[in-house]
Amino acid sequence: MIKKCLFPVAGYGTRFLPATKSMPKEMLPVVNKPLVQYGVEEALDAGLHEIGFVTGRGKRAIADHFDVSYELEHQIAGTDKEKYLESIRAVISKGSFSYTRQSEMRGLGDAILSGRRLIGDEAFGVVLSDDLCVAADEGVLAQMVRLYKQFRCSIVAVQEVPEDQISKFGVIAGDPIKDGIYQVTNMVEKPEPKDAPSNLAIIGRYILTPDIFEIIENTPPGKNNEVQLTDALMTQAQNGCVLAYKFKGTRFDCGSVAGFVEATNFVYENIYNK
Ligand code: UTP
């Protein structure tokens, strides 16, 4: 029912300079796979097979990664190295990949709006691949798709964060509907701890209904002079319904160096070596 997933990948990744000077942050490897591949695999596992990237200048390596490399295939075919290509071959055969560009870095809301033509008039997933999510059974996006089938409205994934971390996130306030599900009543982007409406922080997984596009168009730039998705979602929550979902699983902040190292250690010990 939800078929499409948008990946905003236009960011500069300044926190990883100089590594990201000529290489997209999303292509940095967590052990043996680029960060973005984990996100795409999560989307495919949730049944979202039409993958749309909102890219910017210097991101061509992402498009090359999700395409067949004939030279490499030819070189490796029939050798014992073929096993190293298995995961990316599976991704390429399951998904279809489209690209559009965000001409200026005007914020996440603007990046989503740039993806409008790839999505059209249907509900869709959004993955910020900086957030690497690991779940025991069902992936985080699959959990959210299941919830969408029940409630049919936009959903943001949230997790509890300590007070000294809260100003890095969009933060919600909400009325509990049932275990781990809240109807959003307030949302603030990167609040000071004293202004945070709760300790529930939004992480990089969303299901959005398509009316979000028109709302973003009418959302003025907010914090840091960027068009904030959080502001648009707040309008959507006031007009109808937005849910916050405390997902089952662990999220690593691979947009920061410390989180990236933590994810690398975790994947090496718990996934790669298993
Ligand atoms: P971040 O601000 O965390 O990513 O945006 P960044 O700018 O790449 O990283 P730093 O802060 O410079 O190190 C979160 C996500 O939103 C995307 C980014 O690519 C990232 O995946 N984004 C953000 C866009 O695509 N366009 C924007 O205008 C802003």
Side-chain angles (χ1 to χ4, degrees):
M1 187 199 24
I2 300 186
K3 305 189 300 276
K4 297 184 178 175
C5 191
L6 209 56
F7 285 72
V9 294
Y12 296 128
T14 43
R15 282 170 286 176
F16 283 86
L17 283 169
T20 46
K21 189 173 169 223
S22 64
M23 182 172 69
K25 162 176 76 170
E26 297 77 13
M27 290 302 294
L28 295 175
V30 175
V31 188
N32 62 336
K33 274 189 226 172
L35 189 48
V36 66
Q37 190 178 326
Y38 291 90
V40 170
E41 286 175 351
E42 187 185 322
L44 293 173
D45 286 345
L48 280 52
H49 290 192
E50 294 178 40
I51 308 293
F53 291 97
V54 179
T55 70
R57 286 172 288 279
K59 300 278 180 171
R60 256 198 48 194
I62 297 177
D64 287 341
H65 186 70
F66 293 103
D67 193 4
V68 174
S69 163
Y70 284 102
E71 272 179 39
L72 192 64
E73 290 286 341
H74 176 76
Q75 201 71 34
I76 280 185
T79 74
D80 61 359
K81 289 186 179 156
E82 266 197 298
K83 59 179 182 289
Y84 298 119
L85 285 178
E86 269 167 21
S87 75
I88 187 61
R89 277 179 178 167
V91 164
I92 291 170
S93 70
K94 271 193 220 156
S96 71
F97 302 90
S98 315
Y99 301 85
T100 191
R101 280 198 178 199
Q102 184 186 17
S103 47
E104 263 181 83
M105 283 278 294
R106 282 189 293 243
L108 183 57
D110 180 69
I112 304 278
L113 189 58
S114 307
R116 185 179 199 165
R117 257 173 298 161
L118 298 181
I119 299 297
D121 192 24
E122 54 191 280
F124 59 104
V126 174
V127 169
L128 304 186
S129 53
D130 288 3
D131 282 341
L132 195 158
C133 291
V134 183
D137 307 312
E138 193 182 26
V140 174
L141 212 52
Q143 296 170 32
M144 294 170 76
V145 166
R146 204 157 36 77
L147 210 59
Y148 175 79
K149 285 181 184 157
Q150 200 183 339
F151 291 96
R152 307 266 167 174
C153 59
S154 288
I155 305 170
V156 299
V158 293
Q159 70 172 36
E160 289 179 9
V161 300
E163 195 179 306
D164 63 340
Q165 302 281 313
I166 205 85
S167 59
K168 295 185 192 164
F169 296 88
V171 182
I172 68 121
D175 298 329
I177 294 185
K178 54 183 183 173
D179 210 21
I181 305 171
Y182 305 82
Q183 176 154 2
V184 172
T185 53
N186 193 11
M187 269 183 172
V188 189
E189 184 60 30
K190 301 189 173 67
E192 292 300 320
K194 64 175 175 36
D195 302 324
S198 75
N199 66 345
L200 291 172
I202 304 171
I203 64 122
R205 297 292 183 275
Y206 306 81
I207 303 279
L208 300 176
T209 52
D211 53 314
I212 197 74
F213 293 123
E214 212 175 307
I215 299 175
I216 297 173
E217 267 179 338
N218 293 304
T219 301
K223 195 113 187 177
N224 302 331
N225 208 26
E226 293 185 336
V227 180
Q228 299 290 351
L229 179 61
T230 308
D231 295 343
L233 280 165
M234 185 57 217
T235 306
Q236 205 180 34
Q238 281 164 342
N239 296 347
C241 176
V242 173
L243 297 183
Y245 169 59
K246 218 155 88 178
F247 63 94
K248 295 182 181 67
T250 309
R251 162 227 175 230
F252 296 94
D253 172 19
C254 291
S256 76
V257 172
F260 194 94
V261 172
E262 211 186 314
T264 302
N265 289 330
F266 181 90
V267 170
Y268 182 69
E269 277 160 26
N270 299 285
I271 299 172
Y272 179 77
N273 267 340
K274 285 267 156 87

